Amino acid sequence: MDHQIDRYFKHLVENGGSDLHLSQGQPPKLRIHGSISPIENEPVLSGDALGSMMREITTEKAWERYESCGDLDFAYEMDEESRFRCNYLKQSHGYACVFRLIPTKISSLEQLGIPEVVKQFGHIRSGLVLVTGPTGSGKSTTLAALIDYININFSRHIVTVEEPIEFVHGNKQSIITQREVPIQTPTFADGLRAALREDADIVLVGEMRDLETISLALTAAETGLLVFGTLHTNNARKTVDRLIDVFPADQQSQIRTMLAASLRGVVAQLLCKRADKPGRVAVNEIMVSNSAVAAIIREGATQKLYDVIIGGKGEGMQFMDEAIWGNLKDGVINPFEAYMKAIDKKRFKAYLPEDLQELGHSGGGEIENAAANA
């Protein structure tokens, strides 16, 4: 049965968009290749019309929770080809919701352009592997590709704890158990704790957002599980710092020791707008844990990780700015995008047009404004 909102979803799919934004008092808008714009000739959404559409695709119990709390996350499947991650929120003018299109076919790591070394993390039997990046950088897509690689090549029991379930995995060589927060398990921590009793080999934690979940993930990794998790950090150094800083100061020395022993790698990811064709390209920083990385983490000297990553090319390591530089050199992204996404912006400033370079003398903020509007 078609719902009223499906026509917007079909428009999103037909136009190659990634996100649909509906907000009371605004016309419907799509994000296509990273840019948001209104759907042409669509009227402003009234509260009654939007509320009716939103209510139609969720359960009565979930709608009541949204009305009382103001937020709701779930997944909606329009048809076999189109599945959406849904977020309901309340804003100053009333109802609002955002929908992310989730491909029903899981892309391979090769199709996503993820470096070959990432496959090695699927061969590991225990430890912690983190896929990191800002919201909307494709972390879930990369993790789904890695889980699918394991599913095809190994016989494992994989438990995923997600909010909501995004990519749906069928059993291939592995058994995959997918649990949704808060429907099948109350919290990420509860789902992770339960996985220790479920004969799991691998656990995917959709979001490591609090001390309890991070602590349980480290314990699970130490006790023989392979744990995949995500964080909203942009590079390997910030990832290590974030994990440790979550804990009280008197516990941080112990956590550094645990993390040094259990961390197997970090894959940081950003999405850049392509210059060579429509779309976006993933760029990755990759840190593979070795004795030098473990020693640095134990010492708390994370500023030294940069040198280890730069010197670890032979092991498949890659610094984020090097990945951005490679795409700029190959003409895949333009200098604006490289400058915006780079960590060391000075390196990329020289490739901007001269008028924008002049703007940078007072600190660079003007360049970022101009680049963002370009």
Side-chain angles (χ1 to χ4, degrees):
M1 182 186 78
D2 278 0
H3 296 108
Q4 301 172 70
I5 202 168
D6 286 352
R7 70 186 186 92
Y8 293 129
F9 291 146
K10 288 172 183 173
H11 194 85
L12 177 73
V13 172
E14 288 165 4
N15 285 273
S18 60
D19 300 84
L20 168 67
H21 291 251
L22 303 178
S23 187
Q24 186 173 331
Q26 294 283 324
K29 298 173 184 177
L30 302 183
R31 184 185 290 276
I32 301 174
H33 303 321
S35 299
I36 296 177
S37 57
I39 300 175
E40 285 186 17
N41 303 318
E42 283 290 337
V44 166
L45 293 163
S46 69
D48 289 343
L50 180 55
S52 174
M53 285 189 283
M54 292 167 67
R55 190 167 189 163
E56 205 174 20
I57 61 168
T58 190
T59 64
E60 197 61 36
K61 186 176 179 182
W63 181 258
E64 288 172 6
R65 189 164 68 245
Y66 164 64
E67 287 281 43
S68 62
C69 299
D71 288 287
L72 179 69
D73 289 290
F74 64 100
Y76 170 66
E77 196 166 286
M78 180 174 70
D79 53 41
E80 288 184 3
E81 303 297 320
S82 307
R83 182 177 170 83
F84 300 88
R85 186 181 75 195
C86 315
N87 174 256
Y88 285 7
L89 62 145
K90 288 184 178 176
Q91 43 94 17
S92 57
H93 299 290
Y95 295 132
C97 45
V98 181
F99 303 91
R100 165 71 51 84
L101 177 62
I102 305 166
T104 50
K105 184 180 184 302
I106 298 170
S107 299
S108 68
L109 290 165
E110 290 88 354
Q111 288 169 331
L112 296 173
I114 305 300
E116 185 77 13
V117 67
V118 173
K119 285 184 180 177
Q120 290 182 17
F121 297 129
H123 294 249
I124 296 167
R125 296 306 296 258
S126 66
L128 177 65
V129 177
L130 297 167
V131 177
T132 75
T135 300
S137 60
K139 298 185 296 295
S140 298
T141 305
T142 297
L143 267 175
L146 184 52
I147 292 295
D148 193 54
Y149 172 77
I150 296 168
N151 194 10
I152 291 167
N153 292 285
F154 302 98
S155 297
R156 305 273 193 269
H157 180 205
I158 303 167
V159 176
T160 76
V161 186
E162 305 168 75
E163 185 188 14
I165 291 169
E166 297 190 30
F167 293 88
V168 178
H169 295 268
N171 293 339
K172 295 176 184 175
Q173 277 213 61
S174 293
I175 301 168
I176 301 193
T177 303
Q178 294 187 262
R179 309 188 71 198
E180 185 166 315
V181 177
I183 299 168
Q184 282 96 32
T185 184
T187 66
F188 286 108
D190 289 323
L192 182 50
R193 191 181 291 109
L196 298 170
R197 302 187 294 273
E198 291 163 1
D199 188 35
D201 299 296
I202 297 169
V203 184
L204 184 153
V205 186
E207 202 169 323
M208 292 170 59
R209 60 169 72 141
D210 57 61
L211 186 151
E212 186 182 14
T213 305
I214 293 169
S215 180
L216 282 166
L218 286 169
T219 301
E222 271 200 327
T223 54
L225 270 67
L226 176 56
V227 180
F228 292 107
T230 68
L231 283 173
H232 292 103
T233 46
N234 290 351
N235 57 54
R237 178 187 173 181
K238 285 182 181 176
T239 300
V240 172
D241 287 340
R242 174 74 58 84
L243 283 173
I244 293 164
D245 289 346
V246 162
F247 292 86
D250 61 340
Q251 294 180 30
Q252 289 183 5
S253 177
Q254 178 193 351
I255 295 304
R256 279 197 294 270
T257 302
M258 288 178 71
L259 187 61
S262 61
L263 186 65
R264 297 291 176 266
V266 176
V267 180
Q269 184 161 303
L270 298 173
L271 285 183
C272 294
K273 288 183 185 179
R274 300 189 73 117
D276 56 343
K277 60 182 179 181
R280 291 185 285 178
V281 62
V283 291
N284 298 97
E285 176 166 302
I286 297 171
M287 183 183 79
V288 179
S289 191
N290 56 23
S291 57
V293 169
I296 286 167
I297 292 172
R298 276 194 301 271
E299 292 168 15
T302 54
Q303 70 277 6
K304 296 179 183 177
L305 289 175
Y306 168 82
D307 295 326
V308 174
I309 294 168
I310 293 294
K313 286 184 181 177
E315 297 176 60
M317 296 200 219
Q318 179 172 273
F319 186 55
M320 183 64 79
D321 281 3
E322 289 298 319
I324 293 171
W325 169 251
N327 280 284
L328 175 62
K329 192 172 62 175
D330 293 342
V332 177
I333 63 175
N334 66 31
F336 289 119
E337 193 70 4
Y339 179 88
M340 291 289 284
K341 296 294 169 69
I343 295 167
D344 179 11
K345 296 191 184 299
K346 290 178 184 175
R347 176 178 180 179
F348 295 90
K349 183 180 163 187
Y351 296 91
L352 292 170
E354 287 185 13
D355 56 335
L356 286 181
Q357 289 185 40
E358 289 299 317
L359 290 174
H361 292 314
S362 61
E366 298 89 342
I367 295 181
E368 296 194 16
N369 291 336
N373 293 324

